[in-house]
Each structure stands twice: as C-alpha cells, then as structure tokens.
Amino acid sequence: MVSFYPGPSRVHDEVPRWTAEAAKKGILSMNHRSMEFMHLAEDTVLRLRQKLNVPRTYTVFFVSSATECWEIIAQSFVQRRSVHCYNGAFGEKWYQYTNKLRPGAQALRFNLQQPLDVEDLVLDRDDVLCITQNETSNGSSVAPSTLHAIRTKYRAPLIAVDATSSMAGIELNFTKADLWFASVQKCFGLPAGLALLICSPRSLERAEAIGERDHYNSVLFMREMMRSWQTTHTPNVLGIYLLNRALHKMRVIAETGAITKERAKAWFNFVESLPALQPLIANKNVRSSTVITLSCETTYLEKLKAAAKRKGFLLGNGYGEYKTTTLRIANFPVITDREINSLKRFLKGFKA
Ligand SMILES: *Cc1c(COP(=O)(O)O)cnc(C)c1O
C-alpha cells in the first residue's frame, strides 16, 4: 500500500533500516543526559540549519507534537491576547486550544479562496499573531508575500506560524516570523511523536519578560536545558535519531521546494484532464503545494477511494466540513515519481 495520506504520511524507505541501526547502536535506550545524546541533538540542530535554512540566531526545541506547540505558545508567549487568522479546521483548533488557556483570543476568519488581507488586521504591540501557513484540512496556504507584508507592517507583535504540513516540503523564510513549528509525520516523512519549535531571539526575550514557569514545557525551562543540548523531559530519542538520519540524506530545501512546486503544478494540470475532480482551491495564489485537495461528488468519492485501496493507494479523506466532498493527496518529498505516476494512471483509468 502506498500512502498518499497527508499525515501521518508515507515514511522514508530507510526508516526500517535506520531503526534497526538505532537498536544496534544502543540508541533505543540512550540516556538523554549523556554526551551521546547531546551530540545527537546538537548535530540535528546543525543539519536543520544547513538543510532548511533555519537562521543561526533562532533556537530549535524538540517537542512532541504540533498540538503541544499550540499550548506552549499560549502558555509562554501570549501575555494578553492572541489573534488567529484562519480559514480551516487546524487554524480553528489552534484558536480554540489557545482560548482555553488564554481567554480572549481573537478569531479572524478569512475566505479560503482569497489571500489573507493584511488591511483587515489590527494588532497591538504585545499581541501574538497566529497563522496556519499550510491549512492541511482544505489545501489552502498563506503565500510568502503575505507573511512579508505582515512583518513589514507590524514589527512589534510576535508572529507564530503553524507550518506542520509545509516545513521540509517548501522553502520557508524563517526571518519573516518569530515562532515556527511542525511535527515530523508530514513533509519530513518520519513516524509521528516528534515536533520542532523554532524561536526567534525576540520571541525568547518576550518570553523572558512574561516569565512563565508553570509547566514542564515552559519555553524558559526548555531554553535552559537546550543550552546544553538537552530537554526538560525524556524526549523521543529514536525520533530525533531518525530525523538526524533523514536530514543527512535530505537535499537543501531550495531544491526540494522547487521539486515540490513543480510536482504540485503537474498535479493540478493533470487534474484538469479529469472531469469528475476539481481543485477545492480555485485561486492558484493560495493553493497549497504540499496538500492537493480535490472536490468531487460524494458517491464518486466513495467508489474512487474504495477502488484506489484495492489497487494499493491510500488516498486522504476530506477533513472536517469537507469530509464527504473532497479527497486529499499528499505531495510530500519522500513520495517517488513512480508512485505519483502510477496513482495518476489509476485516476485516469477510473470509471465510477
Ligand atoms: C497535522 C497538523 C497539526 C497537528 O499535528 P500533531 O503533530 O498531531 O499535533 C497541526 N496543524 C497542522 C496544520 C497540521 O497539519
């Protein structure tokens, strides 16, 4: 079965080999206070900088999920108010999680067919603006030019970006925001249970001014530990090892991102030849390159998914309000051209 699910998604072919190697080397029971672990953590952060262009001045933290990042940001970085711009289910969940911890969070919904309009934003100096760069539920995305425009207009507020289904798939300009996060079971092509939280120097200054120290994952505690390449709790050492191996093998993100964009373009061109399927996001400027979301009739969709499964393709269900009217196809780096071509052949030949 080839998984085109947009997370948890198809993993690197080498994951079984890397895992066996980890067992042999004693990584599975490695002490997280040992020199070996500290070297592993340090090297992994170094590779993230090299391969994904994470700025030297930004601090990387190993955490367990993107959901945890929503909570860490609410706890450690929101002093008074967060403002959430979203058009889909993940952005909405982020808003809801934050509002429970820091009541008074603001929701600013925008149309999924339109770019986020910077004119609609009114931010105070101490706000945290929360943006879902790639909305995995509907296949829309926030363009780099939008992030750039927000950063240009608003220097003081912190900008937090959920890049869970785009980091390691497309090139991100980390300098345009303060807090970035992603879990590894999407574009990284790795098993779930590990996420990265990447923080700008000024975001950590803000955290220091807030001084929140009530949680094991308060960012101030995490920073203290990370100074010696450690974590506040026993982390997912195997996950970090697999990430390290994957990063060593990975191309630089400029190359990967260009391939992802080309493949996305090819997907949408191909879909034009299929009368039963249409891109959910009509506006090309806000279409995701990593999560191809297609709409179709519900009965057609059911037959298509069942037939795909018999042929060995796992297609992504629609999500939330689009559950029965869309399908999602992951366009993640570890999926091979051969797999994409065979799925296209199947879609071309399918008759409901
Ligand atoms: C998958 C996903 C999440 C949740 O990730 P977890 O690692 O399961 O917490 C959050 N945001 C977006 C945009 C996602 O795609």
PDB file of all heavy atoms in Angstrom, residues 132 221 262 292:
ATOM      1  N   THR A 132      -1.784  29.810  10.207  1.00  0.00           N
ATOM      2  CA  THR A 132      -1.546  28.455   9.718  1.00  0.00           C
ATOM      3  C   THR A 132      -1.070  28.581   8.277  1.00  0.00           C
ATOM      4  O   THR A 132      -1.848  28.938   7.391  1.00  0.00           O
ATOM      5  CB  THR A 132      -2.842  27.623   9.808  1.00  0.00           C
ATOM      6  OG1 THR A 132      -3.311  27.681  11.158  1.00  0.00           O
ATOM      7  CG2 THR A 132      -2.601  26.179   9.416  1.00  0.00           C
ATOM      8  N   PHE A 221      12.209  27.054  30.630  1.00  0.00           N
ATOM      9  CA  PHE A 221      12.871  25.822  31.094  1.00  0.00           C
ATOM     10  C   PHE A 221      13.510  25.096  29.910  1.00  0.00           C
ATOM     11  O   PHE A 221      14.630  24.589  29.993  1.00  0.00           O
ATOM     12  CB  PHE A 221      11.876  24.874  31.770  1.00  0.00           C
ATOM     13  CG  PHE A 221      11.321  25.384  33.064  1.00  0.00           C
ATOM     14  CD1 PHE A 221      10.020  25.075  33.451  1.00  0.00           C
ATOM     15  CD2 PHE A 221      12.098  26.163  33.914  1.00  0.00           C
ATOM     16  CE1 PHE A 221       9.500  25.528  34.642  1.00  0.00           C
ATOM     17  CE2 PHE A 221      11.583  26.625  35.123  1.00  0.00           C
ATOM     18  CZ  PHE A 221      10.285  26.306  35.488  1.00  0.00           C
ATOM     19  N   GLU A 262       6.986  22.111  -8.604  1.00  0.00           N
ATOM     20  CA  GLU A 262       6.827  21.532  -9.942  1.00  0.00           C
ATOM     21  C   GLU A 262       5.817  20.396  -9.922  1.00  0.00           C
ATOM     22  O   GLU A 262       4.950  20.293 -10.783  1.00  0.00           O
ATOM     23  CB  GLU A 262       8.181  20.977 -10.432  1.00  0.00           C
ATOM     24  CG  GLU A 262       9.004  21.948 -11.243  1.00  0.00           C
ATOM     25  CD  GLU A 262       8.188  22.687 -12.291  1.00  0.00           C
ATOM     26  OE1 GLU A 262       7.556  22.019 -13.144  1.00  0.00           O
ATOM     27  OE2 GLU A 262       8.157  23.937 -12.249  1.00  0.00           O
ATOM     28  N   ILE A 292      -2.680  18.419  -1.934  1.00  0.00           N
ATOM     29  CA  ILE A 292      -3.530  18.627  -3.102  1.00  0.00           C
ATOM     30  C   ILE A 292      -4.948  18.224  -2.712  1.00  0.00           C
ATOM     31  O   ILE A 292      -5.207  17.054  -2.419  1.00  0.00           O
ATOM     32  CB  ILE A 292      -3.051  17.737  -4.284  1.00  0.00           C
ATOM     33  CG1 ILE A 292      -1.540  17.833  -4.493  1.00  0.00           C
ATOM     34  CG2 ILE A 292      -3.846  18.006  -5.549  1.00  0.00           C
ATOM     35  CD1 ILE A 292      -1.020  19.134  -4.989  1.00  0.00           C
TER      36      ILE A 292
END
